[in-house]
Amino acid sequence: MHNILIGPRKYVQGRNALADAGKYLKILGNKPLLLWDAAVKGIVGKTLLDSLRAEKLEPIDVDFQGDCTRKEVDRVIAIIKDKGADIAVGVGGGKTLDTAKAAAIETGIRIVTCPTIASTDSPTSAASVWYDEDGNCTGFDCWPFNPDLVLVDSLVISRAPARALVAGMGDALATWVEARVALQTGAGNIAGGVSTMAAMAIAELGYEILLEHGVEAKRAVEAGALTPSVEKVIEANILHSGLGFESGGLASAHMIANCLPSFTECRHLMHGEEVAFGVISQLCLDNAVSMDDVYEAVDFEVAVGLPVTFADIGLEGVSPGRLKTIGDACASEGSLCESHCFGVTSEAVVDAMIAADALGTDRKSLAGV
Ligand SMILES: [Zn+2]
């Protein structure tokens, strides 16, 4: 396998970045299709439309119907063809962005992502996560290309709920923890190769930024302030984590996290919150990590309020028997747990989750939370 790094063609982040959207989009085309929901349009619609029209672009306004389903992508594709759109612009959360990416790739037009929350690392990636009509996740596609432009208005993101930024920190914290496992074993990355030194450096940088600025960024966002710490954490959540996971590699933290939605009690969790518990579980599974690394990660999660116990994820008192379904999925062929240098068994995953809960409970009580 070759060393492969992929990424978006341009990344723009800053206060009021959306007001310059026209300047960046006119390089890519003339008729941008804007995919967004009513709430997002209410927040950024005027700024974005004014900016596009000021550059003589002809925006096509499309209301997103709620999930990245085959049906929704086909509907957007039909509009792209009918109206002659030459750029698909996803504005909002991950599902909107993923739908825009899929429709753009399948029609051969340009892709722009404008995340309005920093809750996951999907905006820079070439992947779309699919859902069925009942809202169940059915897998993902990794497209041949990443977005042409990722346009991040940090003022908009700083005004979104702090919970979304914190969830993004959970997703981003996992990036380095998982990429270093994949590096050790030469496990493949999402890009279809193995990781580069650049991907590893970016993944580690994101981790360090979270440890240094995560708590302060949360405090600032809760106070309604956009500060340098918030900017740094947005970059870590979206850019560093996006490049790091896609070109680094995934492991048990995401595998365990991806199993949690099968429990109805966990349906309220955001992706990054599931991953946060997955990180602690992975660290308890892996005998190659130092206890300093384990305490560092769990104490950071406690400090920013990410879930570290069964009670935190809605599974207080869960039986080992129920956890076995997660263990079995983790131990199955093709699981992300194969990134580790040791064979991952169902029993080991169940015990690691139980240990993670005990560890999280203890560190929370030590921190007085
Ligand atoms: Zn993730």
Side-chain angles (χ1 to χ4, degrees):
M1 256 197 294
H2 297 125
N3 302 76
I4 302 182
L5 173 76
I6 57 177
R9 294 174 74 197
K10 186 179 283 188
Y11 178 85
V12 177
Q13 177 188 322
R15 187 187 287 264
N16 298 321
L18 281 176
D20 287 333
K23 191 174 83 181
Y24 296 112
L25 262 71
K26 73 177 180 184
I27 304 166
L28 301 171
N30 300 308
K31 292 184 90 173
L33 177 146
L34 303 178
L35 186 66
W36 47 16
D37 61 35
V40 167
K41 188 179 174 184
I43 298 165
V44 302
K46 185 173 184 327
T47 306
L48 190 48
L49 289 169
D50 285 352
S51 170
L52 298 178
R53 290 183 181 131
E55 298 291 343
K56 309 266 183 291
L57 300 179
E58 300 167 48
I60 301 152
D61 189 341
V62 177
D63 193 33
F64 179 54
Q65 310 270 310
D67 253 338
C68 182
T69 62
R70 186 66 252 172
K71 192 173 154 198
E72 175 64 353
V73 170
D74 286 341
R75 185 182 73 89
V76 176
I77 285 174
I79 300 170
I80 289 171
K81 289 179 174 167
D82 181 46
K83 306 276 187 185
D86 51 14
I87 316 171
V89 187
V91 189
K95 290 176 178 179
T96 316
L97 273 45
D98 282 4
T99 303
K101 282 185 224 173
I105 289 284
E106 293 188 18
T107 49
I109 66 172
R110 304 286 196 172
I111 315 169
V112 175
T113 56
C114 302
T116 53
I117 51 175
S119 62
T120 73
D121 49 21
S122 75
T124 62
S125 84
S128 291
V129 178
W130 291 104
Y131 291 82
D132 65 20
E133 297 299 323
D134 299 321
N136 300 307
C137 178
T138 56
F140 72 95
D141 263 319
C142 189
W143 308 112
F145 302 105
N146 294 65
D148 293 281
L149 169 67
V150 181
L151 185 56
V152 184
D153 191 323
S154 32
L155 185 62
V156 171
I157 287 175
S158 73
R159 298 279 155 84
R163 182 186 171 190
L165 186 75
V166 171
M169 292 190 218
D171 203 22
L173 189 75
T175 302
W176 170 238
V177 172
E178 293 181 279
R180 66 190 183 202
V181 163
L183 179 73
Q184 284 163 4
T185 58
N189 58 22
I190 313 287
V194 292
S195 61
T196 53
M197 287 178 285
M200 297 308 295
I202 292 167
E204 187 170 14
L205 174 64
Y207 183 89
E208 287 169 356
I209 285 172
L210 291 183
L211 290 186
E212 189 176 348
H213 294 280
V215 171
E216 185 51 38
K218 181 192 180 193
R219 186 165 28 235
V221 165
E222 283 175 338
L226 172 57
T227 63
S229 286
V230 178
E231 292 279 9
K232 288 187 171 81
V233 168
I234 292 172
E235 186 181 320
N237 284 10
I238 296 178
L239 183 61
H240 304 165
S241 186
L243 295 174
F245 101 83
E246 197 168 39
S247 293
L250 296 174
S252 296
H254 264 79
M255 188 66 210
I256 291 167
N258 292 345
C259 291
L260 290 177
S262 63
F263 292 118
T264 51
E265 301 100 308
C266 299
R267 289 269 166 97
H268 66 289
L269 295 171
M270 299 183 77
H271 170 71
E273 294 168 340
E274 294 160 353
V275 173
F277 188 77
V279 167
I280 308 305
S281 302
Q282 177 182 316
L283 292 170
C284 288
L285 177 73
D286 191 342
N287 68 5
V289 293
S290 74
M291 286 315 295
D292 285 348
D293 284 352
V294 176
Y295 293 141
E296 185 177 75
V298 69
D299 289 348
F300 169 77
E301 292 195 11
V302 169
V304 294
L306 281 164
V308 293
T309 68
F310 286 141
D312 290 344
I313 57 174
L315 291 179
E316 188 166 17
V318 65
S319 67
R322 285 190 74 202
L323 295 175
K324 186 173 180 296
T325 58
I326 296 179
D328 289 351
C330 289
S332 66
E333 202 179 329
S335 147
L336 292 170
C337 296
E338 290 179 351
S339 293
H340 292 278
C341 61
F342 49 88
V344 171
T345 63
S346 178
E347 293 82 0
V349 170
V350 171
D351 284 351
M353 293 179 73
I354 292 170
D357 168 62
L359 173 63
T361 304
D362 255 14
R363 300 306 281 190
K364 277 180 86 166
S365 105
L366 272 174
V369 179

